[in-house]
């Protein structure tokens, strides 16, 4: 998983020519620069190109800071946005410090071919050819001075790097470094349907190497389409990171309520909702999300797994619009955040976020905590989590909440989980090598009356 070699999952016998992939990849880069999520952009790519475009786009986004710095050194005047996106895409694929799937001269040739094939780029073909060939000739001279350029060195915005340096002074380099490699694919086995061992046996029979990394979490040797995973359609397993799989057991284990009433606030796409029900089938779960389309994904995921919850489209903070007055024994608040902890899985996030977003998101997290805490029955629990490595979206939020709410008692929880390299230990929370994503968990209990 640590190899920097590209894996473009297309059949070698039917693979499209590289230029056909480079055009939509450049469009992805241009779209992200314009503030659009790559997830939504990918949905517009024709199915036969989507896997290859995603793989190349992920790589280009992980090297975009370096590519843009090189671009600034090889051009005197920046080209049109479309031509610049194609140029930076190719530079990102060529300037990698590891191997690439394509020889450099192939990338040059196919970039020029892509420009010639597109009406708005045709006039830039010679310019792109000259820029890329100059990079090949002067590679070392162009890259050398960029070691002192923070954005080029770490491929993250300056503010992001500086915040990590403040928040995690002993681990910021490792966090940034691991963000440059793809995250592993981890499955959550639905042990109500099949045992972990039986599922691993099915994987072995299908020729899919895997290992159990904790509890019901099984990590595959590489990412694969879910259609290729035995039993996925039948509800045996779901795709969910190991760090995210901590939520349901943290919230529900040890509760002495037979049929707990549970709220999953900000529930979409429904992975944690399903895990709550798998972990405690007797639970009465209400799942809320403000987005109607994403709420439909919650329903679809529960249907595939044969589970049932009361799914509402509402803003969880606007309690008066949806709450029936019956308190909850347990609340899972997976709050909106920067997603800085899952940048391995979503490399566009680093370029979409702005520094000012963090304070705005922290304020939203405070509002949600304040709105939902009164809904917890005395003696009940609230689990607050974010997929962020920034302390402002984790430890600082809980410290501020506890200062305002004397009826809240912190229980044992991991705190900040950091995405670190294999073998690197971390004194933060109970972080382990299985935590390939960055997360924050705080478990609060309301004092009994």
């Amino acid at each position: 998983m640590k190899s920097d070699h590209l894996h473009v999952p297309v059949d070698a016998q039917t693979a499209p020519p590289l230029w056909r992939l480079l055009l939509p990849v450049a469009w992805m880069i241009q779209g992200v620069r314009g503030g659009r999520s790559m997830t939504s952009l990918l949905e517009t790519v024709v199915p036969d190109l989507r896997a290859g475009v995603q793989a190349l786009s992920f790589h280009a986004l992980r090297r975009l800071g370096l590519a843009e710095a090189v671009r600034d050194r090889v051009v005197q005047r920046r080209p049109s946005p479309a031509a610049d996106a194609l140029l930076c895409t190719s530079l990102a694929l060529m300037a990698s410090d590891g191997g690439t799937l394509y020889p450099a001269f192939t990338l040059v040739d196919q970039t020029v071919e892509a420009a010639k094939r597109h009406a708005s780029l045709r006039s830039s073909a010679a310019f792109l050819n000259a820029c890329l060939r100059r990079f090949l000739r002067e590679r070392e001279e162009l890259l050398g001075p960029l070691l002192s350029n923070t954005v080029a060195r770490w491929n993250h915005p300056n503010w992001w790097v500086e915040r990590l340096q403040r928040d995690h002074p002993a681990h910021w380099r490792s966090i940034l470094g691991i963000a440059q490699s793809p995250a592993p694919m981890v499955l959550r086995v639905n042990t109500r349907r099949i045992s972990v061992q039986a599922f691993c046996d099915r994987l072995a029979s299908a020729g899919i190497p895997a290992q159990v990394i904790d509890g019901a979490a099984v990590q595959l040797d590489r990412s694969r389409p879910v259609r290729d995973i035995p039993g996925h359609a039948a509800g045996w397993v779901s795709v969910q990171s190991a760090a995210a799989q901590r939520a349901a057991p943290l919230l529900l284990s040890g509760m002495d309520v037979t049929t707990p009433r549970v709220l999953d606030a900000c529930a979409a796409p429904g992975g944690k909702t399903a895990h709550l029900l798998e972990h405690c089938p007797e639970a009465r779960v209400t799942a809320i999300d403000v987005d109607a389309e994403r709420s439909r994904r919650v329903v679809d995921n529960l249907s595939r797994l044969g589970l049932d919850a009361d799914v509402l489209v509402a803003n969880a903070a606007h309690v008066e619009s949806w709450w029936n007055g019956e308190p909850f024994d347990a609340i899972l608040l997976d709050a909106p955040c920067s997603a800085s902890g899952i940048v391995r899985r979503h490399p566009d996030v680093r370029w979409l976020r702005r520094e000012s977003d963090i304070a705005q998101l922290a304020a939203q997290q405070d509002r949600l905590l304040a709105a939902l805490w009164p809904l917890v029955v005395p003696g009940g629990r609230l689990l607050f989590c974010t997929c962020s490595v920034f302390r402002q979206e984790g430890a600082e939020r809980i410290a501020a909440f506890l200062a305002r709410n004397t009826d809240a008692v912190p229980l044992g929880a991991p705190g900040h989980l950091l995405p670190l390299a294999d073998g690197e230990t971390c004194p933060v929370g109970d972080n382990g090598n299985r935590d390939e994503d960055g997360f924050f968990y705080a478990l609060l209990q309301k004092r009994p009356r």
Side-chain angles (χ1 to χ4, degrees), residues 250-252 254-264 280 282-286 323 326-332 372-383 411 443-446:
L250 269 170
L251 180 61
L252 298 179
M255 291 191 67
D256 58 1
V257 181
T258 305
T259 57
R261 187 159 188 257
V262 182
L263 171 67
D264 185 1
C280 181
E282 300 81 14
R284 296 177 293 152
V285 175
T286 298
W323 187 43
E326 184 181 355
F328 293 95
D329 300 294
I331 294 180
L332 170 59
L372 296 177
W373 184 246
L375 278 58
V376 180
V377 68
R381 300 174 175 181
L382 183 149
L383 180 65
L411 302 179
L443 182 61
L444 307 174
Q445 184 172 44
K446 181 173 286 189

Side-chain angles (χ1 to χ4, degrees), residues 22-42:
L22 290 175
L23 282 172
V25 172
W27 184 69
M28 294 282 154
I29 300 302
Q30 192 175 353
V32 170
R33 284 172 166 173
R36 296 184 63 187
S37 161
M38 188 178 153
T39 301
S40 63
L41 290 169
L42 269 173

Side-chain angles (χ1 to χ4, degrees), residues 134-190:
R134 180 185 173 189
F135 175 73
L136 291 183
R137 292 193 307 270
E138 304 175 23
R139 178 186 176 96
E140 299 307 318
E141 295 87 341
L142 291 168
L143 291 177
L146 298 180
L147 292 175
S148 59
N149 180 319
T150 300
V151 178
R153 170 70 179 82
W154 297 107
N155 288 286
H156 286 73
N158 268 312
W159 69 265
W160 189 301
V161 177
E162 291 169 357
R163 184 176 285 265
L164 285 180
Q165 289 172 334
R166 292 194 305 270
D167 285 357
H168 306 290
H171 298 287
W172 67 271
R173 292 180 182 84
S174 182
I175 295 169
L176 290 169
I178 203 168
Q180 297 305 93
S181 62
M185 185 174 189
V186 179
L187 307 175
R188 184 189 74 244
V189 179
N190 181 358

Side-chain angles (χ1 to χ4, degrees), residues 291-314:
D291 187 288
E293 180 61 34
R294 285 170 55 81
S295 294
R296 280 192 285 273
R297 291 184 61 192
V298 177
V299 174
D300 291 343
N301 278 327
L302 293 176
S303 177
R304 178 180 64 84
L305 296 164
L307 302 170
D308 184 55
D310 185 15
V311 180
L312 305 178
V313 179

Side-chain angles (χ1 to χ4, degrees), residues 51-64:
V53 168
Q54 176 174 304
L56 290 176
S57 296
F58 274 25
H59 189 89
L61 288 164
R62 291 186 180 111
R63 301 294 185 277
L64 188 58

Side-chain angles (χ1 to χ4, degrees), residues 188 238-252 262-280 283 285-288 294 297-298 301-302 304-305 307 309 331-337 342 383-388 417 437-441:
R188 184 189 74 244
S238 299
V239 179
Q240 188 180 45
S241 75
Q245 289 186 42
R246 293 187 176 215
L250 269 170
L251 180 61
L252 298 179
V262 182
L263 171 67
D264 185 1
C266 312
K272 294 184 182 68
T273 309
H275 197 194
L276 289 168
L277 287 161
E278 290 173 7
H279 187 80
C280 181
V285 175
T286 298
I288 295 181
R294 285 170 55 81
R297 291 184 61 192
V298 177
N301 278 327
L302 293 176
R304 178 180 64 84
L305 296 164
L307 302 170
I331 294 180
L332 170 59
L333 173 54
D334 185 4
C337 69
I342 54 173
L383 180 65
F384 174 79
C385 61
T386 61
C387 52
S388 175
L417 301 173
D437 290 327
F439 257 76
F440 175 81
Y441 282 112

Side-chain angles (χ1 to χ4, degrees), residues 330-363:
I331 294 180
L332 170 59
L333 173 54
D334 185 4
C337 69
S338 64
S340 57
I342 54 173
V343 71
R344 291 180 73 184
R345 302 181 188 280
H346 301 279
D348 54 332
V349 166
R350 68 188 83 178
W351 308 118
L352 291 170
R353 287 282 176 242
R354 299 292 178 264
E355 185 171 15
S356 58
D357 293 343
I358 309 306
Q360 295 173 11
L361 287 163

